[in-house]
mmCIF file of all heavy atoms in Angstrom:
data_model
loop_
_atom_site.group_PDB
_atom_site.id
_atom_site.type_symbol
_atom_site.label_atom_id
_atom_site.label_comp_id
_atom_site.label_asym_id
_atom_site.label_seq_id
_atom_site.Cartn_x
_atom_site.Cartn_y
_atom_site.Cartn_z
ATOM 1 N N ARG A 185 -15.161 4.236 21.721
ATOM 2 C CA ARG A 185 -14.513 4.072 23.028
ATOM 3 C C ARG A 185 -14.721 2.656 23.526
ATOM 4 O O ARG A 185 -15.460 2.403 24.477
ATOM 5 C CB ARG A 185 -15.062 5.089 23.991
ATOM 6 C CG ARG A 185 -14.825 6.470 23.466
ATOM 7 C CD ARG A 185 -14.555 7.417 24.534
ATOM 8 N NE ARG A 185 -13.388 8.181 24.182
ATOM 9 C CZ ARG A 185 -13.019 9.248 24.846
ATOM 10 N NH1 ARG A 185 -13.687 9.656 25.872
ATOM 11 N NH2 ARG A 185 -11.944 9.903 24.460
ATOM 12 N N SER A 196 -7.397 10.452 22.911
ATOM 13 C CA SER A 196 -6.783 10.144 24.203
ATOM 14 C C SER A 196 -5.288 10.423 24.193
ATOM 15 O O SER A 196 -4.761 11.030 25.115
ATOM 16 C CB SER A 196 -6.991 8.671 24.569
ATOM 17 O OG SER A 196 -8.339 8.417 24.781
ATOM 18 N N VAL A 240 -9.326 12.395 30.239
ATOM 19 C CA VAL A 240 -7.933 11.999 29.973
ATOM 20 C C VAL A 240 -6.976 13.169 30.249
ATOM 21 O O VAL A 240 -5.978 13.023 30.960
ATOM 22 C CB VAL A 240 -7.794 11.508 28.515
ATOM 23 C CG1 VAL A 240 -6.354 11.124 28.222
ATOM 24 C CG2 VAL A 240 -8.731 10.326 28.251
ATOM 25 N N ASP A 260 -15.759 17.045 38.094
ATOM 26 C CA ASP A 260 -16.271 16.497 36.825
ATOM 27 C C ASP A 260 -17.755 16.280 37.008
ATOM 28 O O ASP A 260 -18.243 16.329 38.136
ATOM 29 C CB ASP A 260 -15.568 15.170 36.454
ATOM 30 C CG ASP A 260 -15.657 14.899 34.949
ATOM 31 O OD1 ASP A 260 -16.775 14.695 34.456
ATOM 32 O OD2 ASP A 260 -14.620 14.912 34.267
ATOM 33 N N ARG A 262 -19.097 13.481 35.572
ATOM 34 C CA ARG A 262 -19.269 12.027 35.480
ATOM 35 C C ARG A 262 -18.888 11.415 36.822
ATOM 36 O O ARG A 262 -17.768 11.629 37.302
ATOM 37 C CB ARG A 262 -18.391 11.443 34.375
ATOM 38 C CG ARG A 262 -18.842 11.758 32.950
ATOM 39 C CD ARG A 262 -17.890 11.150 31.930
ATOM 40 N NE ARG A 262 -16.518 11.583 32.154
ATOM 41 C CZ ARG A 262 -15.580 10.824 32.670
ATOM 42 N NH1 ARG A 262 -15.818 9.574 32.965
ATOM 43 N NH2 ARG A 262 -14.372 11.304 32.867
ATOM 44 N N GLN A 305 -23.562 23.941 40.355
ATOM 45 C CA GLN A 305 -22.135 23.710 40.135
ATOM 46 C C GLN A 305 -21.386 25.048 40.182
ATOM 47 O O GLN A 305 -20.329 25.158 40.802
ATOM 48 C CB GLN A 305 -21.930 23.032 38.770
ATOM 49 C CG GLN A 305 -20.504 22.586 38.535
ATOM 50 C CD GLN A 305 -20.261 22.067 37.117
ATOM 51 O OE1 GLN A 305 -20.916 22.476 36.162
ATOM 52 N NE2 GLN A 305 -19.319 21.161 36.972
HETATM 53 P P1 LIG B 5 -13.700 14.862 27.021
HETATM 54 O O1 LIG B 5 -12.422 15.351 26.456
HETATM 55 O O2 LIG B 5 -14.882 14.723 26.131
HETATM 56 O O3 LIG B 5 -14.107 15.833 28.239
HETATM 57 C C1 LIG B 5 -13.204 16.132 29.284
HETATM 58 C C2 LIG B 5 -13.887 15.988 30.630
HETATM 59 O O4 LIG B 5 -14.772 17.083 30.860
HETATM 60 C C3 LIG B 5 -14.735 14.725 30.776
HETATM 61 O O5 LIG B 5 -14.266 13.963 31.872
HETATM 62 C C4 LIG B 5 -16.138 15.283 30.996
HETATM 63 O O6 LIG B 5 -16.925 14.453 31.841
HETATM 64 C C5 LIG B 5 -15.829 16.612 31.654
HETATM 65 N N1 LIG B 5 -16.950 17.592 31.703
HETATM 66 C C6 LIG B 5 -17.914 17.834 30.783
HETATM 67 N N2 LIG B 5 -18.756 18.801 31.233
HETATM 68 C C7 LIG B 5 -18.297 19.190 32.448
HETATM 69 C C8 LIG B 5 -18.730 20.148 33.411
HETATM 70 N N3 LIG B 5 -19.822 20.905 33.214
HETATM 71 N N4 LIG B 5 -18.018 20.273 34.555
HETATM 72 C C9 LIG B 5 -16.912 19.509 34.774
HETATM 73 N N5 LIG B 5 -16.466 18.579 33.917
HETATM 74 C C10 LIG B 5 -17.147 18.421 32.766
HETATM 75 O O7 LIG B 5 -13.512 13.466 27.774
HETATM 76 P P2 LIG B 5 -12.300 12.434 27.652
HETATM 77 O O8 LIG B 5 -11.121 12.990 28.339
HETATM 78 O O9 LIG B 5 -12.112 12.086 26.245
HETATM 79 O O10 LIG B 5 -12.769 11.147 28.455
HETATM 80 C C11 LIG B 5 -14.016 10.867 28.989
HETATM 81 C C12 LIG B 5 -13.989 9.417 29.532
HETATM 82 O O11 LIG B 5 -13.817 8.447 28.506
HETATM 83 C C13 LIG B 5 -12.874 9.134 30.517
HETATM 84 O O12 LIG B 5 -13.397 8.399 31.584
HETATM 85 C C14 LIG B 5 -11.914 8.272 29.772
HETATM 86 O O13 LIG B 5 -11.137 7.433 30.601
HETATM 87 C C15 LIG B 5 -12.831 7.499 28.895
HETATM 88 N N6 LIG B 5 -12.124 6.968 27.685
HETATM 89 C C16 LIG B 5 -12.324 5.664 27.314
HETATM 90 C C17 LIG B 5 -11.662 5.160 26.180
HETATM 91 C C18 LIG B 5 -11.830 3.718 25.743
HETATM 92 O O14 LIG B 5 -12.392 2.941 26.476
HETATM 93 N N7 LIG B 5 -11.390 3.370 24.541
HETATM 94 C C19 LIG B 5 -10.853 5.998 25.424
HETATM 95 C C20 LIG B 5 -10.697 7.320 25.823
HETATM 96 C C21 LIG B 5 -11.347 7.786 26.965
#
Side-chain angles (χ1 to χ4, degrees):
R185 301 215 132 169
S196 294
V240 179
D260 203 295
R262 288 179 305 106
Q305 188 187 29

